[in-house]
Amino acid sequence: MKLNLNRPLAFFDLETTGVNVGSDRIVEIAILKAMPDGTEIIKTLRLNPQMPIPLESSLIHGIYDEHIANEPTFKDVAQELADFIGDADLAGYNSNRFDIPVLLEEFLRAEVDFDMSDRKFVDVQNIFHQMEQRTLRAAYKFYCDKDIINAHSAEADITATYHVLLAQIERYKDTDFEDKKGNVSKPVLNDVAALHAFTNMNKPVDFAGRMVFNEAGEEIFNFGKHKGKTVEQVFDIEPSYYAWMRQGDFPLYTKKKLTEIWERWNRKKDQLKQVKQQQQQPAFKQQPLAVKQQQSTVNKPNFAANKPQQVQPRKEKPVVDVTNDMLEQLKMKFGK
């Protein structure tokens, strides 16, 4: 099938240092220019982003710092790319939300006027998502071939969700899946642990996605100026960031997880401080407790040895009342 075109349509895709439109940079751009006569022209360039590529991004697209160290910057080729695209309309997958905004940021930084006023934009992902809707109703119809009765009532929706999962397990039990790193597996199994792993691939720390786990299992920020840095690293360089987030408009659970990391970080700091203090103490203060106790015993004067012995008081006989019988016996003894 041939596209019905009045002017060229440039399909393009970007590989970048990250997903922040304002701060991340392009490391590779590929453009397929479909011409009205049916011919296709492809242009691919790797670019030096003039910033380190985070490991998380390199693991996805396979481009590392050493691969682009000697490549031109975007500014070096900006005019060449603008001329190649010319007056073509633009197309891509998720291009309206990501690729086009990133491309425009790069052109603006390079001070190249890339006119967008008369172009059309075709986002293939939007066609997919709108024609193959990702609603529960659509999933129930697709997997179970049934319509939800009383849709949007809690009981009907949760019953439909349960049956959709059963149908998915049956449908995909022997189906291969290839992730972004090229790893192939059969992830949809009748096993909750396996389903958990497959449906939580982004590894969120707080579910809102403000913090996620990196490949090393460390919590990293997933937004803002510290995106891609570990949370503890940010606390090291800007501890006030914690207070800013605590006071900011973030979900309560995000703040809860942030506080847990903050408290753990503070415990580590206290432990390191104690270790440093012990290392800085004089040598005589480092003696084991048993030695100190022995020394204190040897050097302590024995006051008990010089103390005069106390004289024990003589026990006195108990007082006995004198009776007449006793007097008589005394008279007989002494002859009186």
Side-chain angles (χ1 to χ4, degrees):
M1 178 183 177
K2 176 176 170 290
L3 280 173
N4 183 19
L5 300 174
N6 295 320
R7 62 180 179 183
L9 180 61
F11 293 82
F12 77 103
D13 183 69
L14 306 177
E15 303 298 344
T16 62
T17 58
V19 294
N20 189 300
V21 171
S23 60
D24 281 304
R25 301 288 189 270
I26 298 172
V27 297
E28 186 175 67
I29 180 170
I31 306 170
L32 185 155
K33 192 172 181 180
M35 308 301 289
D37 62 3
T39 59
E40 301 168 0
I41 310 171
I42 296 179
K43 188 181 191 67
T44 301
L45 292 173
R46 282 194 173 179
L47 304 170
N48 186 331
Q50 297 181 291
M51 65 179 292
I53 305 174
L55 179 60
E56 292 80 8
S57 299
S58 294
L59 289 172
I60 292 173
H61 51 54
I63 303 173
Y64 293 81
D65 291 331
E66 59 268 25
H67 296 155
I68 45 78
N70 298 319
E71 299 293 347
T73 66
F74 187 91
K75 187 170 185 177
D76 294 332
V77 299
Q79 192 59 56
E80 176 187 345
L81 289 171
D83 294 341
F84 178 77
I85 296 172
D87 65 348
D89 295 321
L90 300 176
Y93 194 87
N94 193 33
S95 50
N96 287 357
R97 290 194 300 173
F98 183 72
D99 298 84
I100 289 176
V102 171
L103 184 65
L104 292 178
E105 288 293 307
E106 291 280 28
F107 275 126
L108 287 170
R109 278 190 289 266
E111 299 181 344
V112 170
D113 184 17
F114 188 73
D115 188 13
M116 297 288 288
S117 59
D118 193 34
R119 297 182 195 273
K120 303 292 190 295
F121 318 115
V122 179
D123 192 326
V124 176
Q125 185 189 67
N126 287 345
I127 297 174
F128 175 43
H129 284 182
Q130 293 188 79
M131 295 305 294
E132 303 292 343
Q133 294 184 22
R134 289 325 189 228
T135 63
L136 177 58
R137 180 192 292 271
Y140 194 56
K141 182 67 176 177
F142 180 80
Y143 290 107
C144 304
D145 197 23
K146 296 178 182 178
D147 292 317
I148 301 177
I149 300 173
N150 297 325
H152 302 302
S153 71
E155 184 175 335
D157 286 357
I158 203 62
T159 301
T161 302
Y162 170 62
H163 287 289
V164 166
L165 176 60
L166 294 177
Q168 287 175 326
I169 292 171
E170 182 64 28
R171 185 184 187 94
Y172 299 125
K173 62 182 179 181
D174 294 318
T175 302
D176 287 340
F177 171 79
E178 183 175 352
D179 64 19
K180 294 179 180 179
K181 301 176 185 177
N183 300 316
V184 178
S185 63
K186 292 180 173 62
V188 184
L189 304 174
N190 196 356
D191 177 81
V192 172
L195 296 172
H196 164 81
F198 187 54
T199 56
N200 291 274
M201 297 179 70
N202 291 331
K203 300 179 181 178
V205 173
D206 60 335
F207 289 102
R210 297 293 189 272
M211 297 176 288
V212 297
F213 289 104
N214 61 15
E215 293 296 323
E218 302 167 314
E219 301 96 341
I220 64 173
F221 283 115
N222 197 34
F223 76 100
K225 64 179 183 179
H226 292 305
K227 182 180 175 67
K229 297 177 184 176
T230 68
V231 178
E232 291 194 7
Q233 178 186 3
V234 174
F235 289 164
D236 285 335
I237 60 177
E238 190 180 345
S240 61
Y241 202 71
Y242 168 73
W244 175 78
M245 286 191 67
R246 287 285 300 172
Q247 296 167 7
D249 186 20
F250 293 95
L252 292 177
Y253 192 72
T254 297
K255 294 180 180 181
K256 178 180 183 295
K257 300 305 290 185
L258 184 74
T259 298
E260 290 176 4
I261 302 170
W262 172 263
E263 291 174 349
R264 185 186 69 203
W265 174 76
N266 274 291
R267 286 194 298 270
K268 289 181 179 178
K269 278 185 60 181
D270 291 341
Q271 291 171 356
L272 288 173
K273 185 177 180 180
Q274 291 175 3
V275 171
K276 288 181 179 178
Q277 287 176 345
Q278 291 175 358
Q279 291 174 345
Q280 292 171 357
Q281 287 177 353
F284 70 86
K285 291 188 178 181
Q286 298 294 325
Q287 294 175 338
L289 180 59
V291 176
K292 291 181 179 180
Q293 290 176 340
Q294 183 179 3
Q295 288 179 345
S296 64
T297 302
V298 171
N299 298 328
K300 186 176 180 180
N302 188 356
F303 294 106
N306 302 324
K307 187 176 180 180
Q309 295 183 354
Q310 293 181 353
V311 178
Q312 296 294 329
R314 187 172 58 182
K315 293 183 179 180
E316 296 181 357
K317 294 181 180 181
V319 177
V320 179
D321 292 336
V322 178
T323 64
N324 291 331
D325 290 340
M326 294 172 65
L327 291 173
E328 290 295 329
Q329 290 176 2
L330 289 171
K331 286 179 181 181
M332 292 175 64
K333 183 176 182 181
F334 295 104
K336 293 183 180 180

